[in-house]
Amino acid sequence: MFCYQCEQTAGGTGCTKMGVCGKTPEAADLQDLLVYAAKGIANYAHRAGQLGLRSKEIDRFVVEALFSTVTNVNFDPQRLEDLIQQADKIILQARRLYEEACRKAGKKPELLSGPAAWRVPSSRQEMLQEAQAVSIANRLEAYGPDAAGLQELILYGLKGMAAYADHAMILGVEDSSVYAFFHEALDFLTSDQAQDVNALVAMALKVGQVNLNVMEMLDQANTGTYGHPEPTSIRISPVKGKAILVSGHDLRDLELLLKQTEGKGIHIYTHGEMLPCLAYPGLKKYKHLVGNYGTAWQNQHKEFDAFPGAILMTTNCIQRPKDTYKNRIFTTGLVAWPEVRHIGPDKDFTPVIQAALAAPGFTQDAPEKRITIGFARNAVMSAAGQVIEAVKAGKIRHFFLIGGCDGAKPGRNYYTELAQAVPKDCVILTLACGKYRFNMLDFGDIGGIPRLLDVGQCNDAYSAIQIAVALANAFGCGVNDLPLSLILSWYEQKAVCILLTLLHLGIKNMKLGPSLPAFVGPNVLKVLVEQFNIAPISTPQKDLAEILG
Ligand code: SF4
Ligand code: SF3
């Protein structure tokens, strides 16, 4: 195996023996082969699309295949093998679609080689052998760290974007031009152009551009289905009773579980990135959705162990379950861990409910603790007048967006220390699971405007961008001229596509940590520094002094 797609990659260079995340070499190799097969599908689907023929089934499969290979989503070799088998059928389907499109257009079909000509081998063993030939390590050797790294940057951006597209699709929002771009970009990665650094940089920025549309679609899907998040005081300490903990990012899974548990005497808690769900009118209306339990994904061993009920993982990030809770944790959607019970597409959560009823539940109410969340774009913009006045009157000096993924590395204390050191006349916007580094601290307010504004999940980065754009419009300047600094933490590939979107928007001076991506080659890093003045985080004091002058 060779994998360097996430921030915790071994030695900061690549996991080669076993994933630090728990991904086995077998699962890693099968993921590489699945991505290869997805490229083959895209070769045909892209060409068919250009001639006017598309297929929803093919489009959705490519998105699901990519999302399945995002860090901490699918660790199960069997499910990955099933996806590879399915990919084989979809390649043939895509080929037929392309040939039909050619026939209609009176064109002779191109004879495609490479991934388009790939056919599934008959055994897992052969799949694993084939995976060696398409490994990242080979491409690094063939093209060098800049070109091979840029190819991976594009792929990881697409993986992250696939996650957002999948969430939007589940809520009924799709766009054929977005699917067309997935095919175009994957097809590009198999072309000769994908060795040209300039062409690769241009494609990476295009991923960022299309990802902005995808995030807008997801925002539309979430707010269209569940209403706009509202500032909401939520409980973060447990209450007496049977319990189910829901982690991940999928709003619909939570809604379906809420419906199925109504009147059953079970309390539902959010965990990790599900916390923002407590601010949506369409979700918080359920009385048995009682609050949030725990913090970010990397603390799940301790938190799930201590949780006296059932646990449902809806998307990333799952870790190897401990034996203490293996029989009461469930996966659904694209998440998978070998031997963990999986709730299929019918979303019948009966086994989860039974496990919750069999577990002891909380025996008493914990002392009440609350925080306020729900400052997505609609809520912040409705207070825009007040915010702008406060800036003009010098009451708010600067905005900090401190957001992104959390993770296990010790260096991530930086984000807690930074948030605490931000001067009292500054406002902090936050989003994604990195917020758990400081979201339970009391930051007070500036003339009634809370100093900490939780915008939502990583999936709500669109909301943060809209807030920045609205502020820039109100002040008649560009986003780069605002008294706003972005200090980001990354871990997995959704952060990669958001970063590409920010670069596409021309956002400069971002600080990125806890370490820079291993897949960014030395010359590409130079471009990022020269064109975007992107910098690694240093110390909170140094960075604050630099930002505030
Ligand atoms: Fe390593 Fe991250 Fe890849 Fe897991 S996802 S194998 S930790 S680089
Ligand atoms: Fe977190 Fe996985 Fe990225 Fe959604 S839950 S931000 S790491």
Side-chain angles (χ1 to χ4, degrees):
M1 72 176 284
F2 181 92
C3 183
Y4 66 170
Q5 69 175 358
C6 84
E7 192 271 333
Q8 68 176 351
T9 192
T13 53
C15 295
T16 53
K17 294 193 172 67
M18 174 77 194
V20 177
C21 59
K23 187 158 77 176
T24 58
E26 193 177 31
D29 290 348
L30 292 171
Q31 287 186 1
D32 286 350
L33 194 61
L34 180 58
V35 167
Y36 185 71
K39 287 175 182 168
I41 296 168
N43 288 150
Y44 289 120
H46 173 55
R47 284 166 178 76
Q50 282 180 315
L51 296 173
L53 279 195
R54 307 181 196 288
S55 148
K56 272 267 162 69
E57 193 187 348
I58 294 170
D59 293 345
R60 288 176 181 162
F61 179 81
V62 167
V63 162
E64 288 182 356
L66 290 177
F67 189 5
S68 296
T69 67
V70 166
T71 298
N72 289 348
V73 174
N74 188 336
F75 292 86
D76 186 354
Q78 189 52 54
R79 289 209 41 212
L80 290 165
E81 185 182 321
D82 293 347
L83 281 166
I84 291 170
Q85 297 284 2
Q86 216 180 324
D88 179 63
K89 295 192 184 78
I90 303 271
I91 286 188
L92 287 181
Q93 217 173 304
R95 191 171 116 188
R96 282 195 296 271
L97 190 74
Y98 171 52
E99 288 168 354
E100 193 191 328
C102 286
R103 230 182 352 266
K104 284 193 173 151
K107 274 186 69 172
K108 193 169 176 283
E110 276 177 71
L111 203 63
L112 300 176
S113 57
W118 172 85
R119 297 308 317 274
V120 72
S122 53
S123 70
R124 167 109 40 111
Q125 212 41 47
E126 285 168 282
M127 287 182 195
L128 295 173
Q129 269 161 17
E130 282 192 359
Q132 303 308 318
V134 300
S135 76
I136 300 163
N138 281 5
R139 259 176 294 127
L140 272 168
E141 214 176 288
Y143 309 132
D146 287 312
L150 277 168
Q151 291 177 1
E152 291 306 296
L153 172 68
I154 291 166
L155 177 66
Y156 304 155
L158 293 173
K159 288 184 181 195
M161 194 166 98
Y164 296 142
D166 190 62
H167 283 294
M169 188 262 286
I170 285 169
L171 291 173
V173 178
E174 291 176 274
D175 181 339
S176 59
S177 70
V178 165
Y179 288 127
F181 178 71
F182 274 107
H183 303 316
E184 178 192 334
L186 287 172
D187 178 73
F188 166 85
L189 288 176
T190 66
S191 71
D192 291 342
Q193 269 187 303
Q195 292 165 39
D196 176 80
V197 168
N198 291 331
L200 284 159
V201 169
M203 183 53 87
L205 292 176
K206 198 160 173 201
V207 173
Q209 182 188 347
V210 177
N211 183 53
L212 184 62
N213 300 343
V214 177
M215 290 198 299
E216 184 179 1
M217 282 160 57
L218 179 55
D219 181 277
Q220 189 195 329
N222 286 342
T223 58
T225 313
Y226 302 110
H228 282 277
E230 303 164 336
T232 307
S233 163
I234 61 148
R235 189 172 172 120
I236 52 166
S237 54
V239 290
K240 187 178 170 185
K242 302 281 182 187
I244 297 175
L245 188 58
V246 186
S247 197
H249 301 76
D250 197 299
L251 276 57
R252 185 166 172 270
D253 283 334
L254 175 64
E255 184 198 15
L256 295 176
L257 180 72
L258 285 165
K259 283 189 172 148
Q260 290 179 35
T261 46
E262 233 174 348
K264 291 209 160 56
I266 299 171
H267 293 138
I268 309 295
Y269 295 82
T270 60
H271 179 266
E273 279 281 68
M274 294 302 280
L275 176 141
C277 296
L278 296 159
Y280 282 90
L283 296 169
K284 69 178 185 175
K285 68 179 183 194
Y286 293 91
K287 295 280 169 287
H288 61 303
L289 179 62
V290 290
N292 187 74
Y293 176 91
T295 56
W297 68 272
Q298 77 281 356
N299 299 323
Q300 66 188 253
H301 280 159
K302 203 168 128 228
E303 292 170 358
F304 291 0
D305 199 6
F307 188 78
I311 302 143
L312 178 66
M313 301 300 297
T314 66
T315 54
N316 47 333
C317 284
I318 187 172
Q319 290 183 293
R320 173 188 298 282
K322 284 174 73 173
D323 288 342
T324 47
Y325 60 83
K326 212 169 176 177
N327 62 349
R328 51 187 174 87
I329 184 168
F330 299 81
T331 56
T332 192
L334 297 174
V335 203
W337 192 285
E339 288 160 35
V340 165
R341 276 179 289 172
H342 188 77
I343 305 297
D346 64 351
K347 301 287 174 185
D348 178 357
F349 292 115
T350 308
V352 186
I353 294 167
Q354 282 167 347
L357 292 173
F362 290 100
T363 52
Q364 56 183 29
D365 288 352
E368 186 165 339
K369 281 195 213 135
R370 307 188 80 88
I371 59 171
T372 303
I373 61 159
F375 295 96
R377 63 184 169 91
N378 208 48
V380 174
M381 285 179 200
S382 56
Q386 204 189 342
V387 173
I388 290 158
E389 279 316 305
V391 175
K392 285 188 177 156
K395 289 183 185 143
I396 296 179
R397 177 160 45 138
H398 204 87
F399 296 90
F400 288 84
L401 176 79
I402 309 178
C405 309
D406 207 346
K409 280 204 185 155
R412 287 181 183 265
N413 285 345
Y414 166 93
Y415 297 96
T416 317
E417 289 164 22
L418 178 79
Q420 284 174 309
V422 163
K424 297 269 177 287
D425 57 356
C426 302
V427 167
I428 302 170
L429 293 154
T430 192
L431 79 173
C433 64
K435 65 166 146 271
Y436 282 105
R437 294 278 161 176
F438 48 82
N439 71 337
M440 300 197 187
L441 305 175
D442 185 6
F443 288 90
D445 65 294
I446 300 174
I449 302 164
R451 282 192 58 235
L452 179 70
L453 300 172
D454 182 351
V455 180
Q457 296 181 335
C458 59
N459 295 17
D460 299 312
Y462 175 77
S463 209
I465 291 170
Q466 290 306 104
I467 291 169
V469 169
L471 280 177
N473 289 343
F475 289 107
C477 64
V479 172
N480 284 319
D481 308 314
L482 282 173
L484 166 72
S485 301
L486 275 65
I487 297 143
L488 309 175
S489 54
W490 83 284
Y491 171 64
E492 34 74 28
Q493 298 77 52
K494 289 198 269 180
V496 174
C497 68
I498 294 171
L499 193 67
L500 291 176
T501 296
L502 295 171
L503 294 177
H504 151 73
L505 290 170
I507 310 288
K508 294 194 170 140
N509 308 322
M510 290 182 277
K511 296 204 182 293
L512 184 63
S515 55
L516 296 181
F519 50 83
V520 172
N523 291 312
V524 178
L525 188 61
K526 240 174 91 191
V527 173
L528 289 178
V529 173
E530 280 164 12
Q531 285 185 19
F532 298 97
N533 199 24
I534 207 165
I537 56 168
S538 62
T539 67
Q541 290 68 28
K542 252 172 119 176
D543 289 347
L544 272 179
E546 187 201 309
I547 290 166
L548 295 172

